[in-house]
Amino acid sequence: MLKLYNSLSRTKEEFKPIKEGQVKMYTCGPTVYWYAHIGNMRAYIFMDILRRVLKYNGYKVNGVMNITDVGHKTSDEDAGEDKMVVAATREHKSVYKIAEFYTKHFMEDIQALNIGKPEHIVKATEHIKEMQQIVMTLLKKGFAYELDDGIYFDVSKFPSYGSLSGIKADDRLAGARVEINEQKRNPADFALWKKAEPNHIMQWESPWGMGYPGWHIECSAMSRKYLGDHFDIHTGGIDHLTIHHENEIAQNDCSCGHKSVNYWIHSEFLLVDGGKMSKSLGNVYTVPELVSRGFKALDYRYFCLNTHYHNKLNFTFAGLDSAKIGYERLRNLVLLHKTGENKVNAETLEKYHALFLDAINDDLNLPKALGIVWEMLKTEEKSEDIYNLTVEFDSVFGLDLDKAEVENQKQEIPQIVVELANQRLLARKNKDFALSDKLREELKQNGYAVKDNALGYELTKI
Ligand code: AMP
Ligand code: ZN
């Protein structure tokens, strides 16, 4: 039985699809105004793992992900400038060229990370009509109203507004730093459609004059076009829960007249060095950047899989180094089994299979599932049966374990050595140099020399 944590009920629930054997799932995609960073990629790795687990359980998945190429303001609360317009001005390119450029990079990154593409990847700018239709329905049903600068959703007409986050409409925006439109009926009312100034770069004809959509309406229009008015799962990063997803629920439920999504599932944030990634700190890393520093994209995937999606994950280069070493060791063990001649009895294999299934079906407990694979691979008698089962499990991990190559064998570093090196790194961080020297000596006794570098450390065999 597959259990998933539903942000709507704030509990782990048994997953029951609307239609037997099928899952309709929507994921908020990237705003293509800049390179996607490794935090964004954590959200898409989560989406991918969920899709893989659903497929492992025999479901046919129909997934949709949007590409936001218009309408996402620099603040989620409709304030600031359109991120796409800012990028076009910065790079002296058309908005469409910007979207094309960063979408291409995004696609390359997800491919490098083995993130399977959802069945439909769709652009906001190609769904303007569908967005306008929902706005018209909301106006007709009395959930929206027109102001000088656009059409707004009236949150007071939707009493359950805020039920996803637990933040009621009345408690919103008090003291927030957004420019409040004085004409709005309620501070939390949000723009469905904005009327454009004559010189605004992107604008379309509409029943309300030339204009452009609000960001939230995009996801409503694209999810419903491809998945219908009622679908199973909606995913996104945790930062979208309080505003973007509340607004999607309001738009969908009020225009269709019923609940539109059964399970809302959110992935937690990636921190860098314990804090937020920010350009000013110079710590907004991308996948190609990790690769240029000597990592494989899949080292980062392995790094992510070791933390449950529901927990914050702190990125450091030392952590990524450990993941790289762990992943290498894993591949080496897989290789040893590939040519293993021992037979493993069916009962033992079934035991591992059951443990694995329990772990992934317990709200995608991938760290536990990986632990089970490690345990299985550490079996003394190497066996092709274990190799085959590992490759089957890898349909969920997506770590290319069947492609492990012999060359990795020579690089295997004993776990004890990695642990000592990590302890030493920590000691250095804490400026405990006496301990650090002691650990260097212990490493030497274990046959390894350690050298510090910008990424943490490098180990070489003496
Ligand atoms: P955006 O393009 O800003 O809408 O972000 C794309 C996806 O990445 C969304 O699902 C966000 O919630 C997610 N995201 C943004 N920053 C981070 C982060 N630091 N860690 C994890 N996910 C993030
Ligand atoms: Zn969205």
Side-chain angles (χ1 to χ4, degrees):
M1 178 177 62
L2 172 60
K3 282 193 190 160
L4 296 170
Y5 184 88
N6 190 348
S7 302
L8 259 187
S9 62
R10 296 180 192 89
T11 52
K12 248 192 248 179
E13 291 179 24
E14 179 184 348
F15 175 69
K16 291 193 188 132
I18 295 166
K19 211 166 172 193
E20 210 183 314
Q22 296 184 23
V23 180
K24 294 188 202 175
M25 168 169 156
Y26 184 83
T27 298
C28 288
T31 304
V32 282
Y33 69 109
W34 188 244
Y35 299 102
H37 55 61
I38 54 174
N40 301 134
M41 287 302 150
R42 186 185 185 203
Y44 300 117
I45 290 173
F46 156 72
M47 168 200 78
D48 178 56
I49 292 294
L50 175 55
R51 285 170 55 83
R52 286 169 181 267
V53 168
L54 288 165
K55 288 181 186 174
Y56 194 84
N57 279 275
Y59 291 109
K60 185 166 182 288
V61 179
N62 185 11
V64 178
M65 180 168 73
N66 66 299
I67 300 284
T68 296
D69 52 0
V70 62
H72 193 170
K73 300 283 184 163
T74 44
S75 154
D76 287 356
E77 291 127 331
D78 301 329
E81 295 172 87
D82 188 314
K83 290 181 180 183
M84 294 301 296
V85 172
V86 172
T89 313
R90 177 187 68 219
E91 298 185 25
H92 309 292
K93 283 186 192 162
S94 75
V95 181
Y96 292 97
K97 281 275 173 248
I98 292 284
E100 193 186 326
F101 180 82
Y102 290 112
T103 302
K104 177 176 162 281
H105 280 274
F106 176 76
M107 293 303 177
E108 285 168 7
D109 289 353
I110 63 170
Q111 189 174 356
L113 288 166
N114 273 354
I115 295 170
K117 280 191 197 165
E119 287 61 28
H120 306 273
I121 299 186
V122 289
K123 291 185 200 166
T125 47
E126 290 173 3
H127 296 81
I128 302 291
K129 276 272 161 295
E130 287 83 350
M131 297 175 205
Q132 291 181 356
Q133 265 156 16
I134 301 178
V135 179
M136 281 190 280
T137 307
L138 289 170
L139 276 167
K140 209 153 65 194
K141 289 188 165 185
F143 290 106
Y145 58 94
E146 182 167 357
L147 292 182
D148 295 343
D149 69 344
I151 313 295
Y152 285 81
F153 186 92
D154 184 343
V155 296
S156 67
K157 298 279 167 60
F158 183 46
S160 54
Y161 186 81
S163 54
L164 181 67
S165 61
I167 309 171
K168 294 201 198 87
D170 291 349
D171 298 334
R172 281 172 187 260
L173 295 192
R177 62 185 155 75
V178 299
E179 309 145 20
I180 293 174
N181 179 339
E182 297 292 344
Q183 287 186 318
K184 285 201 300 190
R185 292 182 188 166
N186 314 284
D189 290 354
F190 56 91
L192 298 166
W193 183 263
K194 292 284 268 188
K195 297 179 188 174
E197 301 289 330
N199 61 352
H200 194 273
I201 299 183
M202 296 175 102
Q203 45 180 298
W204 289 264
E205 275 178 20
S206 81
W208 319 285
M210 295 303 285
Y212 57 96
W215 172 43
H216 318 296
I217 199 74
E218 300 179 5
C219 286
S220 288
M222 288 181 271
S223 57
R224 285 168 55 186
K225 171 159 181 184
Y226 298 95
L227 302 175
D229 286 352
H230 188 200
F231 56 96
D232 298 290
I233 301 178
H234 193 309
T235 76
I238 193 79
D239 56 327
H240 288 345
L241 188 151
T242 50
I243 299 173
H244 182 49
H245 291 164
E246 291 286 19
N247 294 352
E248 272 190 59
I249 292 175
Q251 294 164 161
N252 287 356
D253 292 14
C254 295
S255 57
C256 341
H258 55 74
K259 181 178 176 176
S260 51
V261 179
N262 286 354
Y263 300 85
W264 284 86
I265 309 180
H266 294 95
S267 54
E268 250 299 349
F269 251 41
L270 180 87
L271 307 176
V272 173
D273 294 325
K276 215 176 153 173
M277 259 183 278
S278 91
K279 280 196 188 139
S280 59
L281 291 173
N283 64 2
V284 184
Y285 302 114
T286 61
V287 171
E289 231 173 310
L290 300 187
V291 172
S292 74
R293 287 176 182 236
F295 296 97
K296 292 181 198 299
L298 293 186
D299 292 336
Y300 180 65
R301 184 177 174 103
Y302 182 76
F303 173 79
C304 288
L305 298 193
N306 276 285
T307 298
H308 193 269
Y309 78 88
H310 228 240
N311 295 330
K312 289 191 176 59
L313 170 57
N314 186 28
F315 176 88
T316 60
F317 278 104
L320 186 60
D321 253 334
S322 305
K324 177 188 165 93
I325 293 166
Y327 178 37
E328 224 166 71
R329 289 187 58 231
L330 187 72
R331 298 200 304 275
N332 290 337
L333 275 176
V334 170
L335 273 178
L336 292 181
H337 282 280
K338 192 173 182 177
T339 47
E341 310 236 308
N342 293 289
K343 281 273 145 229
V344 176
N345 66 44
E347 243 170 59
T348 306
L349 293 173
E350 188 41 49
K351 178 194 86 179
Y352 283 122
H353 182 257
L355 287 170
F356 175 80
L357 196 63
D358 272 0
I360 61 169
N361 281 355
D362 181 13
D363 194 24
L364 319 182
N365 195 337
L366 269 287
K368 191 168 174 191
L370 273 175
I372 291 155
V373 172
W374 271 106
E375 186 191 315
M376 182 169 89
L377 290 170
K378 280 182 184 165
T379 308
E380 248 351 281
E381 289 80 32
K382 303 303 176 211
S383 161
E384 201 186 352
D385 300 333
I386 288 183
Y387 171 79
N388 290 334
L389 192 55
T390 304
V391 169
E392 185 197 308
F393 293 168
D394 195 41
S395 68
V396 171
F397 298 130
L399 289 169
D400 280 353
L401 294 179
D402 58 335
K403 298 192 185 116
E405 284 171 10
V406 179
E407 56 164 330
N408 294 320
Q409 279 178 353
K410 63 177 185 289
Q411 291 171 23
E412 191 175 347
I413 299 176
Q415 181 64 16
I416 173 77
V417 171
V418 176
E419 276 162 18
L420 285 170
N422 284 342
Q423 281 172 24
R424 185 177 161 277
L425 188 72
L426 193 69
R428 279 178 60 79
K429 263 199 176 155
N430 296 335
K431 303 210 180 328
D432 187 346
F433 297 112
L435 179 61
S436 156
D437 287 346
K438 186 172 159 275
L439 289 164
R440 177 192 287 280
E441 197 46 44
E442 275 187 54
L443 279 164
K444 216 167 147 187
Q445 281 159 19
N446 278 280
Y448 280 83
V450 62
K451 208 167 84 191
D452 300 306
N453 63 23
L455 309 179
Y457 58 79
E458 193 185 314
L459 290 165
T460 39
K461 228 172 167 153
I462 309 171

